[in-house]
Amino acid sequence: MSDNTYNVPTMAEMAAKGESPEILFWVGCAGSYDDRYKNVTRAFVKILNVVGVSFAVLGPEETCTGDPARRAGNEFLFQMQAVSNIQVLNGYKVKKVVTACPHCFNTLKNEYPALGGNYEVIHHSTFLQQLINQGKVSLKGGGEFKGRKITYHDSCYLGRANNIYEAPREVLEALDAELVEMKRCKTKGFCCGAGGGQMFKDAEPGNKEVNVERTEEALSTGADTIAVGCPFCMTMMSDGVKNKEKEADVKVKDLAELIAEGLGEK
Amino acid sequence: MEYIGQIAFVIVLGTAIFVLFKRIKRIKSNINLGKDVDIKNNTSERWKNTFLIAFGQKKMFKRPIPAFLHLLIYVGFLVINLEVLEFVLDGLSGQHRIFAPFLGGIYPVLMNIFEFLAVAVLFSCTAFLIRRNIIKVKRFHSREMTSWPKLDANLILVIEIVLMLAILTMNAADQLLQQLNPEHYTATGSLFFSSFLIPLFEGMNTTSLIFIERAAWWFHIVGILAFAVYVTYSKHLHIFMAFPNTYYSTLTPKGQMKNMDAVTNEVNMMLGIQPEGGTPPPAPEEIGRFGAKDINDLTWKNLMDSYACTECGRCTSECPANQTGKLLSPRKIMMDTRDRVEEVGKSLAGGGKGLEDGKTLLHDFITKEEINACTSCQACVEACPVSIDPLDIIYQLKRYVAMEESGSPASWNSMFQNIETNFAPWKFAPTDRFKWADNLKKEEA
Ligand code: SF4
Ligand code: SF4
């Protein structure tokens, strides 16, 4: 690891040096394995590097929070996951966690305390908003985004689940783009279709796919970028755009990717 | 003969109170079929919600037009009940307009306000009938809106219209009688809205007018008492249940699922973890089933929710599964729960088999296909104007399917297996988890 490459320290490495980072970046399973979302993970790490935030990841020690199991009804498996994760986190005396996945965010923040895991948990949209407000991220004049239309798709587990509606929008406004809202937004935001474990099974019989319905709504805003803040929404909206054969004109991007681009990191 | 009216009234009122009392007792014991949960914390927050959401109708105003129409009926209901009090006292004492002498000049003003509200209720109910039956607003016509729920909704509106017409008729006849027999019929001055009906009755003799006035009076009060009993069988019960239901609604973030402490005990024992403070886990109470198969596995709050449901369908109209043609409808979840509770309660009261009748909420009322379509998006919880949580019931049914029946969809079972063996919901090697950083660490910053 030289000084001019990106730094991705693990908790174990830091602990070995007797250090402890300010934040733990919880990557999540999608952020670790999903080809598309790995790019978001890297974009976020780049931002952390550029801003000089003291952070670490668990690396190979991270495991699933248990959220999909819990939502699908397997409470036992969820708690097994949760309890062993909490042992690791408490072992490192973690205080503050940032994650780019709203499902991990919700579980770590709201559901781990009942099992003995108490941390300050922040979603990356809020974290990015804080960096922008503190002036630590200054975007280069917004040249690239100026005049372009971006629409934001609310993730259920950020929005309704945790009342985070403004942070992602403020992040997008910092890009100097024109934020156009879908009719069903904020508290009325329409799900992408992947929550509740749907990501891991085929949809039940119906007359339409949820993600196609939502993508049509997003496309009708005329935006050329659909911004998301969730790995499942990313998959569903990207598939929706493909289904509508619009992938040449409309991009689905995570907030972290957009900010990294705005910083000139690609 | 003098007291015959009073005696008849006491009998009518007594019967209504008796039947109502029995119904309330039944509903209370039905709700208590649910599991006990302790919901007492944070009283100030709870009162605030009750005030804003139940009294203040806050969530109704997400849809302004029906909210306005509903508000007229709601205020009408609250205020016109004051008049019902006078009706009851008149009926018991054999007097006519017992409040008039006490209130003097205010009485006519009050009567005009009541009449205004009666007309407002008439207007709203008519508008609602048109929305339901002529414009056919979509959410009133989905699958679970079978003949009874549809009839129930229309009946409520028609009954309210007829009751309001009775008040206006009574006041119109009364105004004419005031001129003919000022001794008995206390002057109310001109009443604005009922005056329009006077031409219908002008020229009638005193006997006919007295008959019309009395008939309208009896019709209104008997109608109201009968309606009160009817309400307990109807979705209209929300006029009472909305209040306790909002009071006891969840205060934690919508995304937070309730922890199953029975499972925590088992997990801790398996992993040999001492709970904090070193105290051994409390002796496991009767664990019962994991998750819910029938209504007695749900909590009393879930069952109260089902009695508070207005069947408005706002939840269903925002449910992504339902809107894309899946079987799931959160409104149906609530209606099924209530139907099952009523069925079991009725059977138990008649010494029947109750829960042991061979049917269960899961499978016989709510199918796996329905609950498997849920995306846990909480749109239903957000939409509900009386703070009902259909998702909480769905979660508990899913838990039963997963943990007691091992009946989850095959792809979920593989997801479970992946988490157990690879610590991720997909089949990737745990050793590859950190690979995303490999190139990044070499990249020039
Ligand atoms: S949580 Fe489930 S039932 Fe409720 S609106 Fe979302 S998909 Fe429908
Ligand atoms: S659960 Fe709430 S939103 Fe749904 S039908 Fe009942 S009252 Fe309406």
Side-chain angles (χ1 to χ4, degrees), chain A residues 156-157 160 191 195 198, chain B residues 314-316 318-323 328-331 333 370-371 373-382 389-392 394-395 398:
Chain A
C156 304
Y157 276 79
R160 278 185 293 272
C191 179
Q198 298 297 327
Chain B
R314 287 162 187 244
C315 50
T316 295
E318 304 210 356
C319 169
N322 186 276
Q323 294 308 299
L328 173 64
S329 161
R331 166 171 59 189
I333 302 285
E370 289 166 65
I371 56 174
C374 177
T375 72
S376 308
C377 74
Q378 317 129 49
C380 49
V381 190
E382 178 76 43
D389 188 344
L391 179 56
D392 192 40
I394 296 175
Y395 278 148
K398 275 183 170 176

Side-chain angles (χ1 to χ4, degrees), chain B residues 210-437:
Chain B
I210 291 179
F211 178 79
I212 290 172
E213 193 275 338
R214 282 293 86 192
W217 187 90
W218 277 98
F219 184 87
H220 185 72
I221 189 69
V222 174
I224 288 226
L225 293 173
F227 189 50
V229 173
Y230 174 79
V231 163
T232 66
Y233 292 94
S234 153
K235 65 141 181 159
H236 211 54
L237 190 58
H238 76 272
I239 59 176
F240 298 109
M241 296 306 278
F243 297 91
N245 201 62
T246 305
Y247 181 85
Y248 289 115
S249 63
T250 317
L251 301 176
T252 44
K254 282 190 200 64
Q256 181 176 334
M257 264 176 91
K258 294 186 189 87
N259 197 61
M260 286 180 71
D261 296 337
V263 171
T264 310
N265 284 340
E266 288 208 5
V267 168
N268 282 345
M269 269 192 294
M270 268 182 66
L271 299 176
I273 297 175
Q274 284 288 313
E276 243 161 274
T279 41
E285 325 136 26
E286 216 196 314
I287 290 182
R289 305 196 256 248
F290 286 136
K293 184 186 194 188
D294 212 341
I295 46 131
N296 61 325
D297 303 319
L298 297 171
T299 68
W300 62 261
K301 177 60 173 65
N302 296 136
L303 306 189
M304 181 184 264
D305 271 359
S306 78
Y307 276 107
C309 177
T310 72
E311 294 172 20
C312 68
R314 287 162 187 244
C315 50
T316 295
S317 72
E318 304 210 356
C319 169
N322 186 276
Q323 294 308 299
T324 52
K326 278 82 179 175
L327 273 187
L328 173 64
S329 161
R331 166 171 59 189
K332 178 173 175 292
I333 302 285
M334 301 321 299
M335 291 168 70
D336 286 343
T337 304
R338 178 172 175 163
D339 287 350
R340 177 63 182 157
V341 176
E342 279 280 313
E343 179 180 83
V344 171
K346 194 172 165 200
S347 158
L348 287 175
K353 289 190 183 145
L355 289 158
E356 311 302 324
D357 61 355
K359 284 194 259 171
T360 52
L361 179 64
L362 177 70
H363 302 309
D364 294 300
F365 289 76
I366 301 170
T367 60
K368 283 204 288 187
E369 180 176 335
E370 289 166 65
I371 56 174
N372 284 346
C374 177
T375 72
S376 308
C377 74
Q378 317 129 49
C380 49
V381 190
E382 178 76 43
C384 182
V386 291
S387 304
I388 289 171
D389 188 344
L391 179 56
D392 192 40
I393 297 180
I394 296 175
Y395 278 148
Q396 294 178 71
L397 297 172
K398 275 183 170 176
R399 282 173 169 172
Y400 181 82
V401 174
M403 291 190 283
E404 297 277 1
E405 289 187 333
S406 303
S408 304
S411 35
W412 273 354
N413 284 332
S414 339
M415 179 257 285
F416 298 155
Q417 219 173 12
N418 289 335
I419 295 180
E420 272 164 36
T421 51
N422 305 324
F423 311 116
W426 296 283
K427 212 181 181 92
F428 290 115
T431 43
D432 289 348
R433 186 175 271 272
F434 197 29
K435 282 222 165 124
W436 58 266

